[in-house]
């Protein structure tokens, strides 16, 4: 009985895993998560395309927002409207304090000493993208997040801008009802006005614009693999 009484206060003093991983949208804190927000104009026409970032273990958002520039705690296009928290057990980095579980999990040019935690991996990717030029069509925010996920070994890696966008679209959670409306209403309004005043001409333009943009990333990802950087 005495031994049990001695250990209980220590357990109460230690922060639990759930406490350290709590989402707090009011403070823009999304620990170990991918976050998403709509892009001006582009998201008005194609609502599943937006701006994304990835968060440190303390919930601070990092996003590739311009040439040689990774934003820290200042999401480039407003507050996040969707998020997806990454399960730690599905990454090769244990995300607590120990190193990789197996030699197959880390990238070829990096060692166990280089990457021991989630934040170590994000720091490496941030340093890399601070020396890259930003281009919406070849090296963008999706490239940055995909690079991080590959370095983390999430679901065995192999992330690119296409499967990442699909993954967020189908698995992301809305931060709130207001965030959902903020993301969807511009598309509904633009599409309604376009069909009302433009009719079939607007639909042709919309289809052409959507096909060109999506086709570019599909071809650049799966046919010309050096075109879109990761």
């Amino acid at each position: 009985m005495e031994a049990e009484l001695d250990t209980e206060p220590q357990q109460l003093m230690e922060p639990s895993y759930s406490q350290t991983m709590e989402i707090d949208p009011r403070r823009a804190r999304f620990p170990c998560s991918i976050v998403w927000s709509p892009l001006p104009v582009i998201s008005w026409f194609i609502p599943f395309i937006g701006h994304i970032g990835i968060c440190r273990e303390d919930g601070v958002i990092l996003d590739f927002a311009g040439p040689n520039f990774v934003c820290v705690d200042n999401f480039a296009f407003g507050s996040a409207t969707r998020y997806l928290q990454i399960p730690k057990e599905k990454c090769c980095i244990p995300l607590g304090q120990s190193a990789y579980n197996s030699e197959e999990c880390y990238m070829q040019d990096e060692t166990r000493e280089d990457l021991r935690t989630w934040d170590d991996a994000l720091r490496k990717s941030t340093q890399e993208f601070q020396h890259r030029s930003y281009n919406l069509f070849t090296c963008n925010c999706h490239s940055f997040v995909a690079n991080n996920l590959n370095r983390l070994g999430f679901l065995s890696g192999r992330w690119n801008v296409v499967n990442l966008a699909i993954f967020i679209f189908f698995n992301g959670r809305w931060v709130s009802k207001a965030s959902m409306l903020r993301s969807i209403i511009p598309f509904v309004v633009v599409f309604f006005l376009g069909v009302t005043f433009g009719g079939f001409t607007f639909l042709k333009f919309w289809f052409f614009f959507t096909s060109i943009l999506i086709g570019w990333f599909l071809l650049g990802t799966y046919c010309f693999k050096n075109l879109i950087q990761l």
Side-chain angles (χ1 to χ4, degrees):
M1 291 293 292
E2 292 181 0
E4 292 179 359
L5 292 174
D6 290 340
T7 57
E8 286 180 0
Q10 295 178 0
Q11 294 173 350
L12 292 174
M13 291 296 292
E14 294 177 356
S16 66
Y17 171 80
S18 60
Q19 288 176 330
T20 61
M21 296 294 289
E22 287 182 357
I23 301 294
D24 187 354
R26 289 178 298 179
R27 296 176 54 242
R29 294 295 181 265
F30 302 86
C32 298
S33 300
I34 302 170
V35 290
W36 184 96
S37 69
L39 281 168
V41 182
I42 294 179
S43 297
W44 301 350
F45 290 91
I46 311 176
F48 54 84
I49 292 181
H51 181 69
I52 67 172
I54 191 167
C55 305
R56 300 186 320 212
E57 291 182 273
D58 61 3
V60 170
I61 301 173
L62 308 176
D63 62 301
F64 186 46
N68 311 314
F69 181 60
V70 175
C71 277
V72 179
D73 201 19
N74 185 23
F75 206 28
F77 294 95
S79 58
T81 60
R82 302 187 80 184
Y83 71 93
L84 176 63
Q85 195 165 47
I86 302 299
K88 291 186 173 184
E89 63 274 10
K90 293 186 179 180
C91 295
C92 289
I93 296 177
L95 308 180
Q97 48 203 343
S98 58
Y100 290 83
N101 292 324
S102 70
E103 294 182 357
E104 295 178 357
C105 291
Y106 56 83
M107 301 180 75
Q108 290 182 352
D109 297 331
E110 294 165 340
T111 64
R112 293 172 184 265
E113 289 71 23
D114 291 327
L115 303 177
R116 290 183 176 272
T117 66
W118 173 283
D119 285 352
D120 285 339
L122 267 59
R123 190 177 301 111
K124 280 283 186 180
S125 290
T126 297
Q127 291 170 351
E128 180 179 335
F129 275 76
Q130 284 175 338
H131 299 282
R132 286 200 191 183
S133 297
Y134 183 94
N135 187 305
L136 178 63
F137 299 103
T138 59
C139 187
N140 55 37
C141 58
H142 285 71
S143 304
F144 174 66
V145 175
N147 181 285
N148 278 281
L149 294 181
N150 288 332
R151 186 169 265 114
L152 287 163
F154 175 54
L155 295 179
S156 300
R158 298 182 181 179
W159 291 96
N160 56 55
V161 298
V162 174
N163 59 23
L164 175 59
I166 294 172
F167 184 68
I168 293 298
F169 180 74
F170 284 106
N171 296 284
R173 299 181 59 182
W174 295 108
V175 171
S176 64
K177 290 182 180 179
S179 297
M180 180 176 64
L181 293 175
R182 172 192 156 200
S183 301
I184 295 176
I185 284 181
F187 168 73
V188 174
V189 171
V190 168
F191 201 84
F192 173 77
L193 292 176
V195 171
T196 301
F197 295 103
F200 188 66
T201 301
F202 170 79
L203 289 176
K204 287 194 297 183
F205 164 78
W206 178 81
F207 179 78
F208 179 77
F209 175 72
T210 302
S211 300
I212 289 295
L213 196 59
I214 294 176
W216 168 268
F217 288 107
L218 286 173
L219 290 173
T221 298
Y222 297 107
C223 297
F224 305 98
K225 296 188 177 181
N226 293 325
L227 185 60
I228 297 178
Q229 301 177 39
L230 296 177

